Amino acid sequence: MKPDSCPLLTRRLPLILALLAIAPGLLWAEDVYVTSYKGTTSTTDVTPCPPSCVSGTVSASGSSASSSATPVPVIPASGRRVRFGYGAGCTWSVTPMDITLTPAAGSPDYTFSALQHVPGVYRIYVTKGNQSSASTDIVVEMTATGGDLADVNGNPATAVAVTAFQRAEPMNVWIPIGYITNNEASPTLTFTHVSGAIDSSPNRWYMDAVRFEYIDPCTGVAPELGIGGPLAAGQTFVNVSDVAEGATNIVVYANNVEIGQTNYAAGFAAGSVAVPTTALVKGASITARQIKNGCVGTPPATGPIVGGGPNPKVRALLGCWKNSGLAGPIGANTTTGLTNNYFLSATGLRSGYNTAPLGGRSLPAGACWYTATFDHASDAGLYATSGVIFTNTDRFCALEGLVFSIDDTDSGPYDIYVDLIMNGDVVIENFEGYDAGAEVTFSAPNAAGTPTPALTYLSAPNSSAVSQNYAFEGTNACRIQWQFGDTNNTRWAHILANGATGKRYPQLDTSKPITVRYLVLPPGVTTAHKFSGTVSQITGHTPAYLTGSNNLSVTVSGPAAYTYQWTWNDIP
């Protein structure tokens, strides 16, 4: 018997309706059974009355057509027989009770039990194991003493009409027929034949077993909570989602240790609640639970991982569509004929199908706008699904989307600005002329697409929208936000070029470079800088040698003064 962890329901039937309304997916904690036979011997093993009583025109020896439904009603199908009635007005009464029955010599004892919760709410089931001889139209009336009945919809009733014994009803399964709110441990259900043909052959009423299934009144009242982002080191709050309307207490845990809670005696509104916490620590697993009407929810075993804060190191690539039928011009929308998705500037997949692409452009966090150049003439192409390297020789392709590959064991959050996307000297998108907050050209990171990233996202932050916080040129840029749910470096973010407005899979001339401006600010930095001049390709030793001195140089134009940062394999 499981001890109650929350207040018991009273035995008024309208409460069943309320319970069903708030708990559509119920979990069960107790099953109690009564069978009409306790063994296989036709003359000596009839279960005495109580707990099972049969009267009227009923078989003396019963039938071997017992149901194989699971859960098993104490006695397995191979170890019991079934009573069957074949005369009008016969009845069957069952009373759950604590009793041990001893069948024929050499057979095991069978122990049955009473209802463990008083009062409690139990769903009632019956089962049958014969179809061909069952009555086609039998209707049985169910009544009760020691409790109040309700039909299968939870509506109170003094008598419930049951059609579950009819031939067309399924065999070898538990068929729900109603509810009882009991006020004693051993209530009695009585089933009485009221209509339909039952005779010795071929129409019979098969009486096998009844099941009482306890409905925990706390089930579904305080369901499992979700965790929304951001989750960054040093943060002193957690956004908790899926809060039940009327919940009065929410507790947040880091690695199963409480770090904060909030209470509201009047009850929270359904949705999300920000809970104050101690400072979050990078790498901690965050979970939460709620309390409502005295019912204490259970936190999940694990939750999303706290990241180091915006922005961890990330790599940028382009997703493209290959199609030999594309004919331009640059920037033209594409809606049909999109096949053969590939990554531009990828060198491989981190761990096979749909995992993060390798290569691309490293985007370490910094206060300056970064100009990344992608070029079909020099960058490798990689089929996104197969990982096969190839070269696209078509004159035009379509921009399928922006791709960001995790480059650190850090979940984020990520907060990246994108601006002034160009193909050669043609502007593909600069996000000017749109209202702040509009979704332009690029959809939110978790939008469905092919291929589907191997990722775990938090529900928030998750957006792609026009922002006027920072801009490389003009007043607008696209701000893209997301956070991974863990630190697995197979993760990658897929931001499709199919937003609500703006360009839609714009065409690109593969003979011209594609430039994208990115801003990846580190924590606490609120000022962005940009370089408006030009930087040439690196010149000097070709190849360069590890064992010697290598003089490398670039030519720079634009307003001075300059600060140079050289990197080798993305290491300053």
Side-chain angles (χ1 to χ4, degrees):
M1 174 174 171
K2 188 184 81 169
D4 292 330
S5 59
C6 51
L8 290 168
L9 291 178
T10 67
R11 67 184 192 90
R12 294 298 90 201
L13 264 295
L15 285 176
I16 294 179
L17 289 173
L19 178 63
L20 294 177
I22 62 176
L26 298 171
L27 301 175
W28 313 110
E30 174 197 348
D31 281 312
V32 173
Y33 304 92
V34 180
T35 60
S36 64
Y37 255 75
K38 72 174 188 297
T40 58
T41 304
S42 61
T43 57
T44 62
D45 283 2
V46 177
T47 302
C49 178
S52 178
C53 305
V54 182
S55 63
T57 308
V58 180
S59 65
S61 60
S63 167
S64 61
S66 52
S67 168
S68 59
T70 55
V72 175
V74 181
I75 309 172
S78 60
R80 71 180 189 274
R81 294 178 68 81
V82 179
R83 304 303 300 274
F84 65 87
Y86 54 90
C90 56
T91 66
W92 176 30
S93 296
V94 295
T95 305
M97 57 190 303
D98 295 320
I99 187 171
T100 298
L101 302 176
T102 302
S107 298
D109 291 347
Y110 297 112
T111 300
F112 295 83
S113 67
L115 303 184
Q116 299 173 23
H117 292 80
V118 182
V121 177
Y122 290 81
R123 178 177 283 179
I124 304 166
Y125 296 82
V126 295
T127 185
K128 65 184 180 71
N130 184 288
Q131 191 174 53
S132 60
S133 298
S135 171
T136 60
D137 57 357
I138 183 175
V139 177
V140 171
E141 183 179 80
M142 176 175 62
T143 56
T145 59
D148 298 318
L149 287 179
D151 64 17
V152 291
N153 296 314
N155 299 312
T158 55
V160 176
V162 177
T163 60
F165 299 99
Q166 293 180 0
R167 186 178 302 175
E169 292 297 316
M171 298 187 301
N172 305 314
V173 297
W174 290 107
I175 304 172
I177 59 172
Y179 296 86
I180 184 171
T181 304
N182 61 301
N183 54 34
E184 59 182 73
S186 299
T188 296
L189 296 181
T190 299
F191 301 89
T192 303
H193 166 259
V194 293
S195 67
I198 54 171
D199 50 47
S200 58
S201 179
N203 299 303
R204 296 175 175 178
W205 173 15
Y206 285 92
M207 311 169 202
D208 188 348
V210 176
R211 173 184 172 195
F212 297 82
E213 189 175 48
Y214 175 64
I215 302 175
D216 187 337
C218 276
T219 301
V221 176
E224 188 173 287
L225 293 171
I227 301 296
L231 291 177
Q235 183 176 308
T236 56
F237 69 92
V238 169
N239 291 314
V240 177
S241 60
D242 303 320
V243 174
E245 183 177 3
T248 54
N249 174 274
I250 302 170
V251 183
V252 174
Y253 303 88
N255 296 334
N256 300 317
V257 176
E258 182 180 334
I259 59 171
Q261 66 172 281
T262 186
N263 305 289
Y264 184 38
F268 294 103
S272 180
V273 173
V275 179
T277 64
T278 58
L280 302 185
V281 177
K282 181 181 177 181
S285 172
I286 304 299
T287 57
R289 64 110 171 99
Q290 60 185 325
I291 298 176
K292 177 182 176 181
N293 295 343
C295 297
V296 181
T298 301
T302 60
I305 304 300
V306 177
N311 279 287
K313 188 178 178 182
V314 69
R315 306 190 73 85
L317 304 92
L318 296 185
C320 298
W321 292 111
K322 170 180 165 57
N323 189 289
S324 59
L326 298 178
I330 294 174
N333 287 341
T334 306
T335 57
T336 59
L338 300 175
T339 57
N340 298 320
N341 179 235
Y342 65 95
F343 299 126
L344 182 60
S345 79
T347 58
L349 300 179
R350 190 176 296 277
S351 186
Y353 181 78
N354 272 359
T355 61
L358 302 171
R361 306 292 182 263
S362 179
L363 298 180
C368 294
W369 282 90
Y370 178 93
T371 300
T373 301
F374 304 91
D375 197 333
H376 282 82
S378 56
D379 285 321
L382 185 81
Y383 279 122
T385 52
S386 66
V388 174
I389 295 177
F390 84 109
T391 300
N392 185 3
T393 59
D394 298 337
R395 174 62 188 279
F396 286 91
C397 68
L399 177 62
E400 188 261 1
L402 304 176
V403 171
F404 295 99
S405 178
I406 189 171
D407 202 28
D408 200 355
T409 54
D410 197 322
S411 65
Y414 293 83
D415 190 351
I416 297 175
Y417 292 83
V418 175
D419 199 4
L420 194 57
I421 302 172
M422 300 182 67
N423 183 198
D425 58 0
V426 177
V427 175
I428 299 296
E429 183 64 87
N430 61 5
F431 306 99
E432 297 300 313
Y434 302 107
D435 293 334
E439 183 183 277
V440 174
T441 297
F442 297 104
S443 298
N446 71 350
T450 302
T452 302
L455 52 78
T456 301
Y457 278 120
L458 294 185
S459 59
N462 183 60
S463 62
S464 173
V466 170
S467 171
Q468 296 176 344
N469 293 344
Y470 305 97
F472 180 82
E473 181 179 276
T475 60
N476 291 357
C478 180
R479 184 183 188 185
I480 301 170
Q481 297 176 278
W482 78 93
Q483 183 166 12
F484 294 115
D486 57 34
T487 58
N488 190 327
N489 64 4
T490 65
R491 308 296 182 219
W492 58 287
H494 198 192
I495 297 89
L496 298 179
N498 64 352
T501 55
K503 301 291 185 178
R504 187 173 183 85
Y505 302 130
Q507 293 188 41
L508 305 175
D509 187 333
T510 59
S511 69
K512 302 178 185 298
I514 304 124
T515 54
V516 184
R517 278 72 177 183
Y518 300 95
L519 179 63
V520 186
L521 293 174
V525 176
T526 58
T527 302
H529 305 277
K530 66 178 180 179
F531 174 63
S532 57
T534 62
V535 181
S536 71
Q537 295 294 318
I538 297 173
T539 59
H541 280 283
T542 304
Y545 295 96
L546 286 172
T547 56
S549 298
N550 297 275
N551 294 318
L552 307 174
S553 62
V554 291
T555 301
V556 182
S557 66
Y562 310 129
T563 298
Y564 296 86
Q565 175 68 73
W566 294 80
T567 62
W568 175 63
N569 286 347
D570 297 324
I571 300 173

